[in-house]
Amino acid sequence: MRTTGIHLRSGFHIGISCLVISMLLWPGLLSAQTVSVKLEGEQLRVSVSQLHFLGSEVLQRLRNGIAVNYVFKVGFTPNRYSKPATVTSYRFVISYDIFEEKFAVSRIEPNPRSITHLSESAAQMWCLDSIAIPSGGLPADQPFWVNLEYQTVEPKPATTETGESLIGQLIDVFSRKAQREEARGTVMGGPFSLTDLRKTR
Amino acid sequence: MKSRVALLCFLLVAGTIAFGQTPATIEKTEISGISEDSLSAPLRADLQKLVGQNYDEKAAAQIAERIHAELPDYVVTSTTAASTQPGRIVLVFAVAHNINAKYIVESVDLKGTEKSKLSEALWTDMQKMVGHPVDDASADQLRERMAAEIKGSHSRRSVERGSDPQHVRIVYESVSQSSANFSGSGGYHSRQKFSGRANVAYTFYDFVGVRVDGFNDASTLMERYAGYRYGAWTEYKRVRFNAEYSSFRAQWSPGTLQAASATGTSADLYRLRDTIDPSAKITISSGFHVTLGFTASQLQIQVPTSHYESVRTANGNADYKFYLSSSEKHQFSGSYDIRVAGDALGGSATFTRHLFDQNYEWNLKKPAPGTRFTPDGHQIDFNVRLGRITGAAPMFERFSLGDTSRLVGWNKYDISPLGASRMAYGEVTYTNRYISTFFESGSLWNDGQTRVLRNSIGGNLLLGNILHAPTAMRIILNAARPGIGVPLQKNNVHPIFTLGGNI
């Protein structure tokens, strides 16, 4: 084996390759999600920058012409580590027009609405822009945190086998879970205070 | 002047044809996706008033808007379906959360299973969707019935563009929860003789898998290597972890042995090569992956005395694939691969290897789905590969050209019997249903050496398609791909005959 003495160059190349790999992953590192809150009347409007909740698996399903149901749950907590006492749910159905290659979003609840001819980013933005919660229950001078959870949900089976045994149903339920991983995520932001938000309004 | 008159005549005729068409009469109106009772009585009455009238796109759009106003969470679109009588249509208002509900089902197809595995009733119910707008609820119900009938597998559904505008195909795919596959490939090169590979793989739920490969390959590397490789992988979300162990015995061609002896590099020729190769493949997007890994190889070398040397490399690879348009006519794909060995990793070799591989595929006529082994399209491929090694890389990392898949008209042992540290290669291939022809150009050289560009032309026959053989025989004959490669040089033109392809 020829081992000509260029060890220093080799170390340099390892460094370079690490740098290249880091650069390839850089967009992922940069995409830190930041939660911001705006007060509009008595409604708190939550927005999350860089939140791309349509993952590659979900996008593949959408491009296969299948509609995907999303549930967003938003709630307030007094600190980063506690769970929200009350949450508000938003349900959306997202689909992708396989001919026009545009997204359509239906908000099922609350305040049903739908919109079509959106780009991927616009569809995500439209869902997030819909999220607003009443600020009524929040103390004016106490800091609070916003917790936003999202996940895909499978539509309920259209038929139920009435004659099937409990064990059979359990097997069915477990095997169905194994078939598809839910796309989910949580983002948290804070601390915010109503007093500050009123000042910046 | 003449051309203007001709253009005017053409426009007049076209206008007459366009305006002369009688608008179709609405035979009936339908609401798909919801019950008609969900609509207000006046709206239902207005829907009925459309029956018997001429189809007017504007009027249909107005009704769709009124439905949307009453049911704001739904996407509402109007579409027309053919009636049984000529000159008549069925006006359908697709009310659904899925935007694709506005398209008419052209056909319902199966993938990964056969019609015979489904009950007659289920198949009949599936076919009932043809001619109607896509109904997610019904289509999912049928998917569940299919999953119940085909035990040991799960079912997927997808909606694909149909051959007619505004028409779609619904495809039901049955995916086995666990699968065992056996596959093999091989090739023959008239100077390098046979190469082959057999593979057994077991996959559980697309989540974990194991495989065993057996090799006897004279095509891929400078040496003929024979042995086995074990591998296991598991996938979690975007990351696929893979680990492989391989053990190969190397056999060197007389040309390589002679060249090594002449250059005093016989100590580079190993007899055994054992490798451990863990890696993680990260899916950044569906068309872009990054793979990071580490390779540790142990080489048994017999010159000057029998001893072992190790080669350790850190590996990085980025690959991509995307289409320029939704018609999938133009596809770009490629990869960049880097391997680095040095003191920090241990091992006796110190080198860096870069390989840049780019491909452009132009599908003049796209092959029909399911014809992977019996292609029937027209396709032009452009491929470019550039390689560079700095330092002293072991023989299995060095570049070669002149095998069953690259620079086919040449023999790699004649070009560079010890491989090379620099490579530039380009290929243009045209493939249709019966034949594949190519022009290749490439050069191999070492740092400081002059570059010699070698060209070759050749072709392969898709015998199965030419002979219109039955399906099983057609796959075998097409895979055999008898071919010829002719070196483009003035003297000593000896064509190379091949069978099969890249293993």
Side-chain angles (χ1 to χ4, degrees):
Chain A
M1 180 79 41
R2 288 171 292 167
T3 51
T4 47
I6 48 169
H7 302 310
L8 281 173
R9 275 188 76 187
S10 171
F12 171 74
H13 283 305
I14 292 169
I16 288 289
S17 58
C18 289
L19 189 67
V20 168
I21 290 158
S22 307
M23 283 173 76
L24 287 168
L25 298 173
W26 192 241
L29 299 172
L30 276 180
S31 62
Q33 296 145 355
T34 48
V35 178
S36 57
V37 175
K38 209 164 64 176
L39 197 58
E40 286 183 8
E42 288 307 303
Q43 296 278 314
L44 277 171
R45 200 162 283 281
V46 180
S47 63
V48 188
S49 65
Q50 306 285 343
L51 177 60
H52 302 289
F53 58 85
L54 295 178
S56 60
E57 198 185 322
V58 172
L59 281 172
Q60 190 56 53
R61 278 160 68 191
L62 288 166
R63 290 195 167 112
N64 283 340
I66 308 298
V68 177
N69 294 26
Y70 266 94
V71 173
F72 284 77
K73 289 178 181 169
V74 62
F76 301 117
T77 58
N79 59 60
R80 182 187 271 275
Y81 306 104
S82 57
K83 284 191 171 178
T86 54
V87 290
T88 311
S89 293
Y90 288 78
R91 296 176 71 88
F92 298 93
V93 181
I94 303 176
S95 61
Y96 177 77
D97 190 320
I98 60 169
F99 279 93
E100 295 179 16
E101 299 184 345
K102 291 285 177 187
F103 289 81
V105 186
S106 295
R107 187 171 67 210
I108 311 295
E109 65 173 16
N111 307 324
R113 269 190 71 192
S114 65
I115 186 164
T116 60
H117 296 91
L118 298 176
S119 65
E120 182 190 327
S121 55
Q124 296 184 94
M125 188 74 81
W126 192 83
C127 292
L128 293 171
D129 282 350
S130 303
I131 295 171
I133 30 178
S135 61
L138 285 168
D141 50 351
Q142 300 242 331
F144 65 90
W145 289 71
V146 174
N147 183 304
L148 177 70
E149 281 180 30
Y150 62 89
Q151 68 177 100
T152 56
V153 285
E154 290 291 307
K156 282 176 187 166
T159 53
T160 312
E161 296 287 339
T162 48
E164 206 169 356
S165 67
L166 179 65
I167 291 172
Q169 284 179 29
L170 281 173
I171 289 169
D172 189 44
V173 164
F174 282 112
S175 61
R176 197 176 296 143
K177 264 194 169 179
Q179 286 163 21
R180 185 164 290 152
E181 182 85 18
E182 284 173 343
R184 61 167 71 213
T186 305
V187 282
M188 190 166 236
F192 304 105
S193 89
L194 275 183
T195 316
D196 292 344
L197 291 171
R198 281 188 183 124
K199 279 180 199 164
T200 54
R201 185 156 58 164
Chain B
M1 185 65 192
K2 273 183 184 174
S3 60
R4 282 185 192 171
V5 171
L7 181 67
L8 192 62
C9 290
F10 170 75
L11 289 172
L12 280 170
V13 171
T16 312
I17 292 166
F19 287 105
Q21 281 178 348
T22 318
T25 308
I26 298 168
E27 185 182 275
K28 63 173 178 174
T29 57
E30 280 181 7
I31 298 281
S32 85
I34 55 152
S35 162
E36 212 167 313
D37 299 337
S38 313
L39 304 176
S40 65
L43 185 52
R44 275 182 286 164
D46 288 348
L47 268 172
Q48 285 311 310
K49 281 179 193 165
L50 292 172
V51 176
Q53 290 185 20
N54 288 340
Y55 172 66
D56 176 7
E57 205 175 322
K58 258 188 186 170
Q62 280 170 3
I63 294 284
E65 272 175 31
R66 286 176 60 191
I67 297 172
H68 185 235
E70 290 190 8
L71 302 164
D73 58 323
Y74 286 92
V75 177
V76 185
T77 44
S78 67
T79 187
T80 56
S83 165
T84 47
Q85 294 176 37
R88 287 174 171 264
I89 53 154
V90 178
L91 178 57
V92 184
F93 291 94
V95 185
H97 291 131
N98 188 344
I99 186 77
N100 296 302
K102 63 182 172 179
Y103 300 123
I104 305 291
V105 179
E106 177 184 281
S107 64
V108 179
D109 303 319
L110 298 175
K111 193 175 165 187
T113 187
E114 289 168 12
K115 189 186 146 191
S116 58
K117 290 189 179 171
L118 303 182
S119 67
E120 194 60 41
L122 176 56
W123 180 249
T124 309
D125 286 348
M126 282 178 169
Q127 296 307 314
K128 280 181 186 166
M129 291 195 290
V130 175
H132 299 282
V134 177
D135 182 346
D136 266 358
S138 307
D140 276 339
Q141 205 173 338
L142 293 169
R143 181 179 58 80
E144 281 160 23
R145 281 174 61 190
M146 179 174 157
E149 287 191 9
I150 305 175
K151 298 287 180 196
S153 69
H154 69 268
S155 305
R156 292 180 191 147
R157 178 174 70 86
S158 61
V159 183
E160 296 177 2
R161 290 180 184 193
S163 49
D164 291 333
Q166 309 293 302
H167 282 66
V168 294
R169 297 164 61 225
I170 293 183
V171 180
Y172 286 99
E173 185 181 5
S174 176
V175 183
S176 186
Q177 289 168 359
S178 56
S179 63
N181 292 312
F182 176 79
S183 64
S185 59
Y188 172 79
H189 185 283
S190 55
R191 297 285 298 279
Q192 295 155 20
K193 308 304 173 196
F194 284 98
S195 293
R197 171 184 177 173
N199 167 276
V200 183
Y202 177 78
T203 304
F204 181 71
Y205 263 130
D206 293 338
F207 166 70
V208 67
V210 289
R211 67 176 172 273
V212 180
D213 295 273
F215 293 87
N216 191 330
D217 183 2
S219 183
T220 317
L221 303 177
M222 287 313 299
E223 78 248 33
R224 173 183 284 278
Y225 63 96
Y228 56 83
R229 183 169 69 197
Y230 300 120
W233 59 266
T234 182
E235 199 165 291
Y236 180 70
K237 293 195 172 175
R238 285 167 176 257
V239 186
R240 182 179 178 129
F241 299 98
N242 188 50
E244 288 176 350
Y245 169 75
S246 60
S247 181
F248 297 120
R249 179 180 287 270
Q251 188 183 343
W252 302 98
S253 74
T256 303
L257 290 170
Q258 207 175 344
S261 173
T263 54
T265 55
S266 295
D268 285 359
L269 307 185
Y270 39 85
R271 199 169 75 96
L272 296 173
R273 176 162 58 94
D274 292 348
T275 305
I276 296 170
D277 189 6
S279 64
K281 184 176 184 178
I282 304 150
T283 301
I284 308 293
S285 71
S286 59
F288 181 52
H289 308 94
V290 172
T291 308
L292 305 173
F294 174 76
T295 302
S297 298
Q298 193 170 47
L299 311 176
Q300 190 198 52
I301 292 169
Q302 295 198 303
V303 175
T305 55
S306 179
H307 66 285
Y308 287 93
E309 287 190 12
S310 65
V311 178
R312 293 176 191 170
T313 58
N315 312 322
N317 180 289
D319 68 88
Y320 74 92
K321 185 169 104 171
F322 69 92
Y323 292 100
L324 275 187
S325 62
S326 57
S327 62
E328 299 188 353
K329 270 196 164 183
H330 307 276
Q331 180 196 281
F332 279 95
S333 60
S335 66
Y336 168 68
D337 188 273
I338 182 168
R339 296 180 196 191
V340 182
D343 286 346
L345 299 166
S348 54
T350 305
F351 68 93
T352 304
R353 181 186 193 270
H354 308 265
L355 179 62
F356 183 72
D357 185 353
Q358 298 304 305
N359 203 65
Y360 165 64
E361 195 177 293
W362 180 13
N363 285 297
L364 299 163
K365 180 183 170 240
K366 227 174 142 35
T371 57
R372 185 180 155 209
F373 298 107
T374 56
D376 67 347
H378 292 271
Q379 185 182 304
I380 296 176
D381 278 294
F382 296 88
N383 179 236
V384 173
R385 284 167 73 93
L386 301 170
R388 177 187 164 90
I389 297 170
T390 53
M395 288 294 284
F396 63 87
E397 296 283 22
R398 292 169 69 81
F399 301 114
S400 69
L401 290 172
D403 51 49
T404 51
S405 58
R406 272 180 279 278
L407 217 58
V408 176
W410 298 82
N411 179 16
K412 62 184 168 188
Y413 302 118
D414 297 336
I415 298 174
S416 179
L418 293 174
S421 60
R422 305 284 192 275
M423 177 186 67
Y425 168 79
E427 181 189 24
V428 184
T429 310
Y430 166 74
T431 307
N432 68 21
R433 188 178 167 80
Y434 303 111
I435 194 167
S436 170
T437 57
F438 52 82
F439 169 76
E440 296 173 290
S441 190
S443 181
L444 279 177
W445 73 98
N446 288 310
D447 193 19
Q449 286 180 348
T450 50
R451 279 161 245 179
V452 180
L453 193 66
R454 291 178 170 84
N455 303 312
S456 75
I457 54 166
N460 296 82
L461 298 176
L462 289 146
L463 267 188
N465 286 351
I466 292 169
L467 300 173
H468 295 282
T471 308
M473 184 55 76
R474 184 176 291 204
I475 290 169
I476 293 167
L477 289 173
N478 282 345
R481 295 171 69 91
I484 186 170
V486 182
L488 296 179
Q489 58 181 353
K490 284 179 184 168
N491 304 312
N492 205 17
V493 179
H494 294 294
I496 299 286
F497 298 97
T498 62
L499 281 174
N502 198 359
I503 69 161

